[in-house]
Every structure is written in structure tokens, then in C-alpha cells.
Amino acid sequence: MNKSLNFLFLSILNYLPHIIILFLVFTGTDFSFVFSGMNFSFNIVYLVIFYWVLKKPDVIGFGFIFLAGIINDVVLNLPIGLSAFIYLLMCGIASFIRTITLVPNIFYDWVFFFIGLLIISSIYYIILTLIFNSDILYGILMLQAFLTALVYPLIAKLFDGLFKVIVGKENAE
């Protein structure tokens, strides 16, 4: 019985990034908080995708990320394929950074994440305004991108710890 519980726990840990992404896209959740009457939010999906593609590219496949983007578009009533395109663009940026990085460093990852976030946010909002004629409040969106970038080191440390637990459990088997 103990071995089957350990296997179940290890399986859940291995698929936790998938579960997190699916939860976020099915619920349309942006983590937000209210401070001084203003609503601040950050996009956890970008953080999860960037981290796992950058650090552990074999955990989440690009096909799964594409599917998550399609689901996100349906849930949020966005043009089909827009989120999938943006998520895959984030994957491309993370893959490019992974190939040019000689020594992994959380600070460099953080800076590159912010640059990548600015690129994909700009493309996302340009597509929404020019092609789909959506009204967008740019100040709020830039604040969201900035807050998302600020949260990256915390999420990266959390996922680093999670990955150590997964690897430790697999080595114990």
C-alpha cells in the first residue's frame, strides 16, 4: 500500500505543471489582489510556461502548450489561436534563451523573462487592437506585465524546490 501511495504522489508531482496550466486556462484565472482601491494582477500561465520550457524542457511539450492556448481562447472568448500563438512564442523565447545561456542564473532568467514578456505582450495587444479592433487599457496591461515579471523569482524558486522533490522521490524508488 505504501508503494502505491508513493507512486501516486510521484505521478501527481510529475504532472503538476500540466495540472497547474490546465487549472489556470480552464478557470481563466489571473491571480489578482486589491491594494489602495486598485486591482493588480499577474499572469501565472506565462510564468509556468517560461520556467518549465527554460529549465526543464522535457516536462511540458509544445503540443500541450498549444492545446492549453486553444482552451484559454475558448474560455476567455478570445479569437481562436491567439493565446496558443502567444504561448508558443513564449516557448520559442525560452528555448532561445536556454540555448544561448552558458551558466544558468536566476537574475539573467528574470531579465530575459521580462524582455520576453514585453515582446509577447506587445505582439498580443497589437494583434488585438489592429486585427480584432479591441479596446485595450495599455496602462493596466503594462502594470500587469511588470507585476508578472516581479513574481518570476518567487515562482522559479518554488518550482526549483518542486523539481528537487520530484528528482529526490525518483532516486528513492
Side-chain angles (χ1 to χ4, degrees):
M1 181 68 176
N2 187 21
K3 201 152 186 83
S4 63
L5 279 176
N6 200 17
F7 175 75
L8 177 66
F9 179 70
L10 184 61
S11 297
I12 291 172
L13 283 178
N14 281 331
Y15 289 105
L16 191 59
H18 296 87
I19 295 168
I20 292 170
I21 289 176
L22 285 176
F23 172 77
L24 292 172
V25 299
F26 272 119
T27 60
T29 302
D30 274 344
F31 286 93
S32 61
F33 58 95
V34 177
F35 182 74
S36 296
M38 289 184 62
N39 188 16
F40 298 100
S41 65
F42 48 92
N43 196 326
I44 297 291
V45 176
Y46 292 163
L47 294 164
V48 173
I49 290 171
F50 185 84
Y51 176 83
W52 288 102
V53 171
L54 180 66
K55 299 291 186 178
K56 318 293 188 259
D58 53 333
V59 173
I60 299 177
F62 287 6
F64 177 80
I65 292 172
F66 179 81
L67 179 65
I70 297 295
I71 293 169
N72 188 57
D73 291 337
V74 170
V75 169
L76 296 179
N77 197 22
L78 293 170
I80 298 295
L82 182 61
S83 293
F85 172 69
I86 295 299
Y87 292 171
L88 290 178
L89 189 58
M90 179 62 89
C91 291
I93 291 169
S95 296
F96 175 73
I97 292 168
R98 185 181 67 245
T99 58
I100 65 169
T101 303
L102 297 176
V103 179
N105 183 336
I106 187 77
F107 179 74
Y108 294 132
D109 295 346
W110 189 18
V111 169
F112 286 128
F113 174 70
F114 185 64
I115 293 168
L117 188 62
L118 289 177
I119 291 169
I120 65 165
S121 294
S122 298
I123 292 171
Y124 181 74
Y125 303 124
I126 286 170
I127 291 172
L128 279 178
T129 56
L130 292 180
I131 297 175
F132 297 107
N133 228 4
S134 298
D135 293 329
I136 295 181
L137 301 172
Y138 293 101
I140 293 172
L141 296 177
M142 289 308 294
L143 181 63
Q144 181 183 14
F146 182 72
L147 290 174
T148 301
L150 282 179
V151 175
Y152 178 76
L154 298 172
I155 298 297
K157 289 293 184 187
L158 178 77
F159 285 150
D160 283 341
L162 175 68
F163 190 74
K164 287 178 184 174
V165 168
I166 293 171
V167 170
K169 288 283 187 184
E170 286 178 349
N171 290 339
E173 288 287 310

